[in-house]
Amino acid sequence: MQTDTHDTERTLRDALSATGQRYTEQRAAVFRYLRSTESHPTADEVFFHVRQEIPGISLATVYKSLETLVGARLATKLTYGDGSARYDGRTDDHHHLRCLGCERVIDLPGQVDDREVARLEASADGFQVTGCRLELTGYCADCSPSPASRV
Amino acid sequence: MQTDTHDTERTLRDALSATGQRYTEQRAAVFRYLRSTESHPTADEVFFHVRQEIPGISLATVYKSLETLVGARLATKLTYGDGSARYDGRTDDHHHLRCLGCERVIDLPGQVDDREVARLEASADGFQVTGCRLELTGYCADCSPSPASRV
DNA sequence: ATCCTTGCAAAGCATTTGCAGTCAC
DNA sequence: GTGACTGCAAATGCTTTGCAAGGAT
């Protein structure tokens, strides 16, 4: 646990200093919160939680910190979906489920098979593929309209 | 060609009247423009083009028309990606390529194999999947940094 | 000591809304 | 004639920016 905290701080310090940026309490708190949750929070939600630790932090700083983390590849910005952007503290290749009922975004374990990507890529003439994002939409266990119905 | 125009108008009239909504010149122009392009335009781009046909149309009306079309399942709203939403006149199941250079969104022929979706879905415990969106990111032929390089 | 960061308030966009006049049915 | 739609302008919501004061190296 203690080790976790140290690793997190070390990771952040290293990534920031590598690009001439500074380690600050605010950035650390935002980073720690992102790492601690699987809820893919919006900037506002991050602000709300981090404020309990650093009451004086401003929303603008939260936005700046989040962009800094994304720039340092320590977080991902999820811009699909309506409305406000969501941030994800995971940076490994993974996908998402989006509940059409409660709008929650849930991590989906597993990756798209490379052969499947290659097959699709074959239709993308002259396009050089570097990444793949997949989102399954539907209804989570709590929002399922009815166990058997299908829209 | 003539038939195409008739079909388009008929399709729109039918879809609108089915929900007690009215056929208007503005909605028709927006619909026609969406059908005529593969460029996945933003609301602003639709506004720009439709204005050449109906100079008096307002941006608000374009937004309202686009939402009406989406609601009637005659268009799709593409909300992944930063910034403004893009609209797609195609409603069949298909996916997209997003160029990280010029930000263009290009249609990707082909679908994700059902078995692949089923495999991923298996990890989504209790989640009822109704749709699948996939986006390959990379560089289009015009933006490719260099033929062989890979980031 | 340098110059990056913060917090505040104001600005910037994309999108939505309220409402009176207009139009499709 | 009735209720839906348009156009305008103002409002909203998320995000970014400019700048002086403060903080990390």
Side-chain angles (χ1 to χ4, degrees):
Chain A
M1 300 294 116
Q2 194 172 55
T3 314
D4 259 24
T5 307
H6 282 166
D7 282 357
T8 301
E9 182 181 329
R10 175 83 182 273
T11 301
L12 181 57
R13 282 193 183 276
D14 288 353
L16 290 173
S17 67
T19 48
Q21 298 182 95
R22 290 171 185 172
Y23 178 92
T24 65
E25 206 194 331
Q26 288 86 342
R27 286 172 176 174
V30 168
F31 186 43
R32 249 182 282 117
Y33 178 64
L34 269 194
R35 285 264 159 133
S36 76
T37 181
E38 290 193 352
S39 71
H40 309 85
T42 60
D44 230 36
E45 285 159 6
V46 174
F47 179 51
F48 176 80
H49 287 281
V50 169
R51 196 133 70 137
Q52 305 185 344
E53 210 182 312
I54 306 181
I57 196 170
S58 76
L59 180 57
T61 298
V62 170
Y63 272 106
K64 288 169 187 166
S65 299
L66 287 167
E67 285 310 314
T68 299
L69 294 176
V70 171
R73 302 188 161 280
L74 295 174
T76 309
K77 191 174 185 176
L78 303 177
T79 42
Y80 23 30
D82 291 345
S84 43
R86 292 174 170 275
Y87 293 85
D88 188 341
R90 289 179 58 182
T91 52
D92 60 306
D93 224 339
H94 70 286
H95 300 291
H96 297 100
L97 298 167
R98 176 177 301 271
C99 178
L100 300 173
C102 59
E103 307 216 296
R104 244 189 306 177
V105 175
I106 303 163
D107 281 327
L108 175 65
Q111 294 183 211
V112 178
D113 190 280
D114 282 346
R115 280 167 302 181
E116 183 66 8
V117 174
R119 192 177 64 78
L120 290 165
E121 193 174 344
S123 326
D125 203 35
F127 196 94
Q128 189 183 339
V129 174
T130 61
C132 169
R133 305 175 87 185
L134 177 122
E135 176 183 80
L136 296 181
T137 50
Y139 296 89
C140 73
D142 298 345
C143 296
S144 209
S146 95
S149 77
R150 233 202 163 180
V151 189
Chain B
M1 300 292 117
Q2 193 172 58
T3 315
D4 258 25
T5 305
H6 282 169
D7 281 359
T8 300
E9 180 179 332
R10 175 83 183 274
T11 302
L12 181 56
R13 282 195 182 276
D14 288 353
L16 290 173
S17 69
T19 48
Q21 299 180 96
R22 289 170 186 175
Y23 178 92
T24 66
E25 206 195 331
Q26 289 86 342
R27 286 172 175 175
V30 169
F31 185 45
R32 251 182 281 118
Y33 178 64
L34 270 194
R35 285 264 158 133
S36 76
T37 181
E38 289 192 352
S39 71
H40 308 87
T42 59
D44 231 36
E45 285 159 4
V46 174
F47 179 50
F48 175 80
H49 286 281
V50 170
R51 196 135 66 139
Q52 305 184 343
E53 208 182 313
I54 306 179
I57 196 171
S58 75
L59 182 55
T61 298
V62 170
Y63 272 106
K64 288 168 186 165
S65 299
L66 286 168
E67 286 309 315
T68 300
L69 294 176
V70 171
R73 301 188 162 281
L74 295 175
T76 310
K77 192 176 185 176
L78 302 178
T79 43
Y80 24 30
D82 292 344
S84 43
R86 291 175 170 278
Y87 293 84
D88 189 340
R90 288 179 59 182
T91 52
D92 60 308
D93 225 338
H94 70 288
H95 301 292
H96 297 99
L97 297 168
R98 179 177 299 272
C99 178
L100 301 174
C102 60
E103 309 215 295
R104 243 187 309 175
V105 176
I106 303 161
D107 280 328
L108 175 66
Q111 293 184 211
V112 178
D113 190 281
D114 282 347
R115 281 166 303 179
E116 184 66 8
V117 174
R119 192 178 64 78
L120 289 165
E121 191 173 346
S123 326
D125 204 35
F127 195 95
Q128 189 183 339
V129 175
T130 60
C132 169
R133 305 174 87 184
L134 177 121
E135 177 183 78
L136 296 182
T137 51
Y139 296 90
C140 73
D142 298 344
C143 295
S144 209
S146 93
S149 76
R150 222 187 172 191
V151 189

